[in-house]
Amino acid sequence: MINLTIIVPTFNAQKVVQPLLEQFACLKNVEFIFVDDGSTDRTIDVLKKFKQCSNCDVHILSFEHNGVSNSRNMGIKEAKGKYIAFIDADDLIKIDILKEIIANIERYETDIIFFQNDLNSERLNSKEIIKKFVLKEPISSTEGFIKTTPWSKFFKTDFLKISNIEFPTDVQFGEDLIFVLNSLLKTDVIQMDSNGFYLYKNNPSSVSKKIKFDIVANAIQFYEELQKALGKNSLILKQCVSRMLIKDVERAVFSNKKSAYIKKLIKSSLLFGYSFKDLNIKQKIILKLIIKQRIFTTKLIMKLRKRLEKRRILQYEEI
């Protein structure tokens, strides 16, 4: 029996994927599905060599460039393991911890398992943590909050397939949150496990740091998906809009978008509502400026804050 299917989306990952492959070679009872998103380098050759030289159960799928969400969805369709885990090509894992988790997979019964060092090992009602998940608020007695990303989590394969849960392909930023949120809404109980096994690579020059999508169009698609999941009059939706709008305006500012574009972003986002509830003082001040479209002042504050927030970034963040 295959205990776990690990889905790895790849795109021009030739120079970064090898360390992860070396770790994978140590795992047993695992199916590996690599979904290449139209790489133009030698990523496919590297993956084929890994398949030939290892004793692992390796599947390589290749498609034209269509985005990471499509790659993950294709992987879900092909998965045969009891659980599915998503790992990015440039990240790493704590191999000994993951080995132990896989070897004892039968002790887990829930549809979703969250593995994080800063969470308590406990079972929780999935509906009761929706707000904390979407708004990134601390869970229980810990200071940790659930990461909105799909990695560092296990999802039961049958659960995803029967519930028809997929990543939204029309959302470029925030698709992870929508996927995990829809999963939480379709189950009753989730398992938290403090044995975090994931090492996320902080890469300031990575694609996630460069805005290559239309921020306005993405915001609309993201809020529409969120509205579909939570309901049109949801307070959580309005609170999320408030937080995301601040971040989206910041992205627009540092992408050197013109004031007219930022005003369009603000107008489009506020159509989904907003709320000052639970915002801190700084967030409230910035949101008020944004709502009043005081673009010059908003830009000034955001650039000043960016200078003051310079900090040392660790190469790998333990999840």
Side-chain angles (χ1 to χ4, degrees):
M1 176 184 175
I2 301 172
N3 290 346
L4 180 67
T5 295
I6 294 179
I7 297 172
V8 183
T10 60
F11 177 68
N12 290 344
Q14 172 192 343
K15 296 180 180 179
V16 298
V17 73
Q18 190 60 43
L20 183 62
L21 298 180
E22 291 172 5
Q23 290 188 315
F24 282 171
C26 303
L27 297 177
K28 296 180 180 179
N29 300 319
V30 176
E31 172 189 49
F32 300 98
I33 299 180
F34 297 92
V35 188
D36 190 73
D37 190 31
S39 290
T40 56
D41 63 1
R42 296 183 60 253
T43 298
I44 292 292
D45 294 335
V46 174
L47 297 179
K48 286 181 177 178
K49 184 178 180 181
F50 171 67
K51 181 176 182 178
Q52 293 169 356
C53 298
S54 71
N55 295 318
C56 300
D57 183 3
V58 179
H59 305 270
I60 303 170
L61 309 178
S62 182
F63 300 92
E64 292 183 2
H65 189 55
N66 212 357
V68 68
S69 290
N70 183 70
S71 295
R72 288 172 176 155
N73 290 340
M74 292 299 103
I76 292 171
K77 290 179 181 178
E78 297 297 322
K80 298 181 182 64
K82 179 180 179 181
Y83 280 96
I84 287 174
F86 300 95
I87 298 181
D88 286 350
D90 57 347
D91 293 339
L92 294 175
I93 52 178
K94 298 177 186 175
I95 191 69
D96 291 335
I97 294 177
L98 187 55
K99 273 184 180 179
E100 185 177 350
I101 291 171
I102 294 169
N104 295 284
I105 200 81
E106 295 303 323
R107 69 185 179 190
Y108 299 107
E109 299 174 357
T110 57
D111 294 324
I112 310 171
I113 314 163
F114 294 161
F115 296 93
Q116 284 184 218
N117 294 326
D118 55 358
L119 297 178
N120 291 329
S121 293
E122 57 183 334
R123 285 193 177 191
L124 296 174
N125 184 305
S126 62
K127 308 302 185 296
E128 293 178 358
I129 66 165
I130 296 295
K131 177 177 179 288
K132 293 179 181 293
F133 168 72
V134 174
L135 302 180
K136 296 184 179 181
E137 296 177 349
I139 298 292
S140 302
S141 59
T142 70
E143 291 300 316
F145 61 87
I146 299 173
K147 306 294 184 184
T148 56
T149 53
W151 32 257
S152 77
K153 302 169 178 63
F154 282 8
F155 300 87
K156 259 190 183 172
T157 304
D158 288 344
F159 163 68
L160 292 181
K161 291 183 178 182
I162 293 171
S163 302
N164 196 30
I165 300 171
E166 293 186 333
F167 290 85
T169 55
D170 52 358
V171 178
Q172 302 299 307
F173 189 88
E175 75 284 1
D176 295 349
L177 185 150
I178 299 298
F179 175 83
V180 180
L181 172 60
N182 284 332
S183 300
L184 289 173
L185 289 169
K186 291 187 179 181
T187 192
D188 297 317
V189 180
I190 60 169
Q191 176 70 51
M192 304 287 195
D193 194 313
S194 60
N195 290 307
F197 66 86
Y198 204 92
L199 294 170
Y200 167 72
K201 186 174 184 180
N202 282 305
N203 184 0
S205 62
S206 69
V207 172
S208 62
K209 303 295 180 180
K210 298 175 182 177
I211 309 301
K212 294 186 176 181
F213 56 86
D214 185 335
I215 302 173
V216 176
N218 184 80
I220 293 171
Q221 294 288 354
F222 173 74
Y223 295 137
E224 285 180 349
E225 290 287 344
L226 202 60
Q227 188 178 80
K228 194 187 306 179
L230 298 174
K232 187 174 182 179
N233 298 314
S234 168
L235 176 59
I236 301 174
L237 168 65
K238 295 175 183 178
Q239 289 179 277
C240 185
V241 171
S242 300
R243 288 160 171 75
M244 288 298 293
L245 178 55
I246 294 172
K247 292 180 180 178
D248 276 341
V249 170
E250 188 175 68
R251 291 185 187 101
V253 168
F254 290 102
S255 297
N256 297 316
K257 300 295 185 183
K258 294 182 179 180
S259 294
Y261 183 92
I262 296 176
K263 287 180 180 180
K264 183 181 177 182
L265 170 62
I266 295 169
K267 184 179 179 180
S268 300
S269 298
L270 292 179
L271 291 174
F272 295 88
Y274 65 92
S275 173
F276 287 95
K277 183 177 172 59
D278 297 333
L279 294 180
N280 60 40
I281 297 297
K282 292 180 181 178
Q283 289 173 320
K284 287 179 180 178
I285 291 172
I286 294 175
L287 184 59
K288 285 179 181 178
L289 290 171
I290 289 173
I291 292 171
K292 292 179 180 179
Q293 296 194 3
R294 303 284 179 81
I295 307 301
F296 178 79
T297 307
T298 301
K299 285 182 176 181
L300 200 62
I301 291 175
M302 287 183 168
K303 289 179 179 180
L304 178 61
R305 189 173 66 174
K306 194 77 170 179
R307 290 178 184 176
L308 297 174
E309 285 182 351
K310 284 185 178 178
R311 56 190 174 85
R312 179 172 172 265
I313 298 176
L314 297 174
Q315 183 179 11
Y316 285 97
E317 176 185 351
E318 293 189 15
I319 306 301

